[in-house]
Amino acid sequence: MENYYFKMDHLSVGYNKKALIHDICIGIKKGEIVTLIGPNGSGKSTILKSITRQLQIIGGKVYFDDQNLTSFSFRDLSTRMAVVLTERMKPELMTCHDIVATGRYPYTGRLGLLTREDEEKVEEAMRAVHAQELGSRDFNNISDGQRQRVLLARAICQEPDIIILDEPTSFLDIKHKLDLLSILRDMAKMKHITVIMSLHEIDLAQKIADKIICVKGDTISHFGRPEDIFEENMIRDLYDINNGFFDPLFGSIELPKPEGEAKTFVICGNGTGIPVFRQLQKEHTPFIAGILYTNDVDYRLARLLAADVITERPFMDISEETFQKALRVMEQCERIICTDVPVGSCNMRLGQLIEAAKKSGKMVRG
């Protein structure tokens, strides 16, 4: 294996000396963001707990900066590795400031007294996660999302070389999800801190990670760059999706297309059809869309939600054959929805289709 900063060498993890996942061979470079994805119960948390020494490793080895992970004392490891897991903490009579301050304990003496410099680092960490207003509040009396931010501040306070997080965005609203991921990205790219985390939101994993680990069954099914991992069939197989779709271009999850005979025709293009498609799906109304170029943003969604899509090749004039096909299909429909699709030199035939729709008396504006 190459000279990586963090390595899992034929690692096997599990419980009670029984391996649930085996032969994990992963190399991670300094400053990379690596995200574990996979179905619930696939073993993502088991891997994270094993590489943080909260679970005994069943087999293989983990190397951290060319040193066997088991050779670190817990004190030394705590100055280099910070961990944010999903278990609920129930500290007694501790403020959020107190919780964050525990991140400095590996650096203090036996009495655990913080210096002025330590206190400054606590305040700096709380500012980094926008939690300074929580400092005096009881940790047990704040929301789950606020707790997550406080625990991240504690991890930052440790000044680690590597930070490991288990589903850190689970209890956060969208604003704070973005805040947290931005903080992690800055830690990785500006301070060269290695980040390893699990995420349920695969759209966020696709956008934040340098590398993706796919966990399924008793092995790692795939490991690589997001652009290689987030392929439609690969994600479908990873999560056994049979009740909808994943679109890797948008990073979106789509419900199944409406079933039944399509009696609605949507004339659209250039993104004007997307809200119409979604509304028809909510109404459980099957529809046909066209004429769409196969590189049109509307086509990306129509191919998943429409009963049929009448298409043309990109950058080509709409052919007579395609136009006549659209005209025949449209005439058989009971309703025609026309969006504000722009008509230009290439898609002039779309203008003719719109005129035919007007004359039919079946057209409504979308």
Side-chain angles (χ1 to χ4, degrees):
M1 191 178 287
E2 295 182 37
N3 186 29
Y4 290 106
Y5 186 64
F6 193 89
K7 297 185 294 187
M8 298 173 232
D9 185 10
H10 295 283
L11 178 67
S12 295
V13 302
Y15 296 89
N16 302 319
K17 299 183 179 181
K18 181 180 179 181
L20 301 179
I21 306 171
H22 58 80
D23 288 327
I24 305 172
C25 295
I26 300 290
I28 300 169
K29 297 177 182 178
K30 188 173 180 62
E32 279 192 319
I33 299 176
V34 177
T35 300
L36 289 80
I37 64 172
N40 288 339
S42 60
K44 301 183 295 295
S45 296
T46 305
I47 293 173
L48 295 181
K49 288 178 180 179
S50 298
I51 65 176
T52 56
R53 291 177 60 182
Q54 299 192 31
L55 284 177
Q56 184 177 3
I57 291 174
I58 306 297
K61 295 179 180 179
V62 178
Y63 293 96
F64 180 12
D65 200 11
D66 288 329
Q67 187 173 342
N68 193 318
L69 190 69
T70 58
S71 68
F72 286 92
S73 69
F74 281 104
R75 183 180 182 86
D76 288 342
L77 190 60
S78 64
T79 64
R80 303 195 62 184
M81 177 185 287
V83 182
V84 181
L85 298 181
T86 53
E87 280 81 0
R88 297 291 184 87
M89 292 177 56
K90 284 288 185 180
E92 294 295 329
L93 302 176
M94 290 185 72
T95 65
C96 294
H97 179 278
D98 295 335
I99 295 293
V100 178
T102 62
R104 297 304 302 166
Y105 286 177
Y107 302 95
T108 63
R110 291 184 178 180
L111 297 179
L113 299 176
L114 273 62
T115 65
R116 177 177 294 181
E117 181 182 359
D118 290 324
E119 289 287 359
E120 289 174 355
K121 291 184 183 296
V122 171
E123 295 300 325
E124 182 182 341
M126 295 191 75
R127 284 195 299 273
V129 300
H130 312 295
Q132 55 269 49
E133 78 284 357
L134 300 175
S136 61
R137 294 184 58 182
D138 187 331
F139 182 76
N140 289 327
N141 293 329
I142 60 175
S143 71
D144 288 333
Q146 289 171 327
R147 290 185 189 188
Q148 201 76 331
R149 283 190 282 152
V150 169
L151 294 176
L152 178 60
R154 182 183 66 172
I156 293 171
C157 208
Q158 286 179 241
E159 298 184 301
D161 297 316
I162 184 168
I163 181 168
I164 296 175
L165 310 99
D166 192 9
E167 300 174 21
T169 58
S170 293
F171 302 111
L172 302 181
D173 59 37
I174 186 61
K175 177 186 185 302
H176 291 110
K177 286 180 194 287
L178 296 173
D179 281 345
L180 182 142
L181 293 178
S182 295
I183 291 165
L184 293 177
R185 181 191 59 196
D186 291 345
M187 290 172 68
K189 303 313 171 188
M190 297 174 66
K191 297 184 178 180
H192 303 291
I193 295 171
T194 303
V195 178
I196 304 173
M197 62 179 166
S198 62
L199 283 179
H200 274 309
E201 303 95 328
I202 60 175
D203 56 328
L204 296 180
Q206 182 181 18
K207 295 173 177 66
I208 189 69
D210 297 303
K211 299 285 177 57
I212 299 288
I213 301 173
C214 299
V215 186
K216 184 181 182 182
D218 59 358
T219 60
I220 300 300
S221 62
H222 296 91
F223 171 64
R225 301 175 305 166
E227 51 266 39
D228 298 324
I229 297 298
F230 285 93
E231 188 271 328
E232 204 167 328
N233 290 331
M234 192 176 295
I235 296 299
R236 181 185 294 116
D237 292 343
L238 177 63
Y239 287 95
D240 293 324
I241 298 173
N242 56 15
N243 57 347
F245 308 93
F246 171 76
D247 187 325
L249 182 64
F250 297 138
S252 61
I253 302 295
E254 303 296 342
L255 293 170
K257 65 180 67 177
E259 296 181 358
E261 184 181 0
K263 292 295 184 180
T264 297
F265 191 96
V266 183
I267 303 174
C268 55
N270 200 39
T272 61
I274 290 176
V276 177
F277 301 161
R278 295 203 186 283
Q279 183 60 38
L280 291 171
Q281 186 195 48
K282 290 175 187 176
E283 297 170 0
H284 204 71
T285 301
F287 65 93
I288 299 167
I291 301 169
L292 290 172
Y293 290 105
T294 53
N295 63 343
D296 192 305
V297 66
D298 277 350
Y299 173 74
R300 293 294 307 184
L301 187 60
R303 69 192 178 91
L304 301 179
L305 301 187
D308 191 17
V309 186
I310 299 171
T311 63
E312 184 55 86
R313 291 175 297 166
F315 310 113
M316 302 294 290
D317 292 339
I318 294 175
S319 69
E320 177 68 18
E321 180 183 359
T322 300
F323 174 74
Q324 290 298 330
K325 178 181 178 182
L327 197 60
R328 287 194 303 271
V329 172
M330 188 176 74
E331 288 172 349
Q332 295 170 3
C333 289
E334 298 173 354
R335 178 175 59 155
I336 304 166
I337 300 174
C338 183
T339 67
D340 293 325
V341 54
V343 177
S345 58
C346 285
N347 67 343
M348 284 191 298
R349 287 286 179 84
L350 204 61
Q352 297 175 26
L353 197 67
I354 294 170
E355 288 302 315
K358 289 178 181 177
K359 292 177 181 178
S360 72
K362 298 184 287 187
M363 193 184 89
V364 296
R365 284 288 176 181

